[in-house]
Amino acid sequence: MKEDILYNLTLINDRIKKACEQSGRNSNEVRLLLATKTVSAERIKIALENGQTLIAENKVQELKEKYEELKDIPHENHFIGHLQTNKIKDILKYGVTCIQSLDRLELAEKLHQKLLAKNSTMDVLIQVNTSNEESKFGVDPNNTIKLTRKISRYSTLKIKGLMTIGLFSAETEKVRACFKILKRLQQDIITENIPNVEMKELSMGMSGDLETAIEEGATIVRVGTAVFGTRIYPDSYYWDEEKPL
């Protein structure tokens, strides 16, 4: 198991490095985020103890279950799934440093209130539905700047950039179009010069399309299956917090 994970990590990091070179980018500009849905704490430890520093969960229940085993290993833990407002307290309790899936004002407001009570702040990314699929969460691209402006008024929420899932497709150019939308929105928001908003992060691209994402400006690529192996459910299953494990 350890050998497989380390070998897969080498392959992924080589892919990232090569994609950066071909795009004229520095590989230090792109971080590998390990999507650890359904992955045991034991297997995650292997990656964390061998140079990886960034992981993310899609479901709060898994975050809670793995927290004790992983908390003493230095790492960042992001949340990338659809977050229900009644799970906010757990997000704040179990070491999440960034919520990448902030997609609506109601969630932002309730996050803000909980953070105020704790005298704390949270890094967030605005999730955008760039594929225009009803099955995907995220704000409509046409409403992204408006939502960003509204969320920026909450002092506890530090907007660091944008996230998208993109289209699940083997057609590269259709997937690329999603990433181009996110990049364009990033540039438009930078031009708006909104207080309390940074646009340094673009979280986009996964195991099958990370090269395309890097070509279009990704700073975080989210990889799970290519490191830890195939899961029993399709990727789309894990993005919805409301679906049971």
Side-chain angles (χ1 to χ4, degrees):
M1 178 175 66
K2 179 177 180 179
E3 289 77 12
D4 288 345
I5 291 172
L6 295 185
Y7 176 71
N8 291 341
L9 281 170
T10 298
L11 292 181
I12 288 295
N13 281 304
D14 285 348
R15 284 175 61 189
I16 292 172
K17 183 178 179 181
K18 183 177 179 181
C20 287
E21 289 173 352
Q22 292 181 341
S23 304
R25 299 182 62 190
N26 189 319
S27 59
N28 292 332
E29 298 174 8
V30 181
R31 299 183 71 190
L32 170 60
L33 179 152
L34 298 178
T36 52
K37 51 200 172 192
T38 75
V39 180
S40 69
E42 178 186 10
R43 294 166 72 205
I44 297 169
K45 276 185 180 180
I46 293 170
L48 294 180
E49 289 171 350
N50 287 274
Q52 302 309 302
T53 59
L54 180 58
I55 64 173
E57 292 291 349
N58 287 68
K59 291 183 176 289
V60 172
Q61 184 60 36
E62 286 198 63
L63 180 70
K64 293 164 66 174
E65 290 170 353
K66 302 169 193 177
Y67 177 73
E68 286 297 325
E69 286 190 68
L70 300 177
K71 68 178 183 179
D72 293 328
I73 305 174
H75 69 284
E76 285 185 61
N77 199 345
H78 290 193
F79 190 78
I80 55 177
H82 182 66
L83 181 58
Q84 295 172 284
T85 55
N86 65 351
K87 301 289 181 69
I88 290 173
K89 61 183 183 300
D90 291 325
I91 289 288
L92 302 184
K93 183 177 179 181
Y94 293 104
V96 170
T97 59
C98 178
I99 297 170
Q100 294 200 12
S101 48
L102 183 53
D103 62 354
R104 59 202 189 279
L105 195 60
E106 177 198 16
L107 177 59
E109 184 175 353
K110 294 191 175 181
L111 261 171
H112 174 65
Q113 294 301 326
K114 293 286 188 184
L115 288 162
L116 272 182
K118 293 171 64 70
N119 192 29
S120 186
T121 63
M122 175 70 72
D123 289 350
V124 298
L125 305 184
I126 307 298
Q127 181 177 353
V128 184
N129 185 350
T130 56
S131 62
N132 197 33
E133 295 172 281
E134 289 187 10
S135 61
K136 298 278 179 65
F137 294 102
V139 61
D140 186 294
N142 293 325
N143 297 327
T144 300
I145 295 177
K146 182 179 179 181
L147 180 64
T148 301
R149 193 179 294 280
K150 288 181 176 180
I151 293 175
S152 72
R153 297 168 186 162
Y154 296 118
S155 60
T156 62
L157 303 179
K158 306 302 180 184
I159 301 173
K160 300 296 183 182
L162 305 173
M163 183 270 262
T164 196
I165 296 173
L167 191 68
F168 294 134
S169 173
E171 296 184 53
T172 300
E173 293 311 307
K174 288 185 177 181
V175 178
R176 187 186 304 279
C178 296
F179 300 153
K180 282 184 176 294
I181 289 171
L182 205 69
K183 181 65 177 180
R184 175 179 55 78
L185 283 169
Q186 178 199 42
Q187 297 306 307
D188 289 346
I189 293 170
I190 289 171
T191 301
E192 293 284 323
N193 197 26
I194 305 169
N196 194 33
V197 174
E198 288 184 68
M199 277 289 125
K200 66 178 183 178
E201 302 290 2
L202 286 182
S203 176
M204 59 188 191
M206 295 186 281
S207 301
D209 54 25
L210 66 86
E211 285 86 358
T212 305
I214 289 171
E215 288 171 10
E216 299 303 330
T219 63
I220 298 172
V221 291
R222 307 180 303 269
V223 177
T225 56
V227 171
F228 296 113
T230 305
R231 296 176 295 271
I232 60 172
Y233 296 115
D235 261 355
S236 56
Y237 171 86
Y238 297 95
W239 295 105
D240 190 349
E241 173 62 31
E242 296 177 6
K243 291 180 180 176
L245 286 171

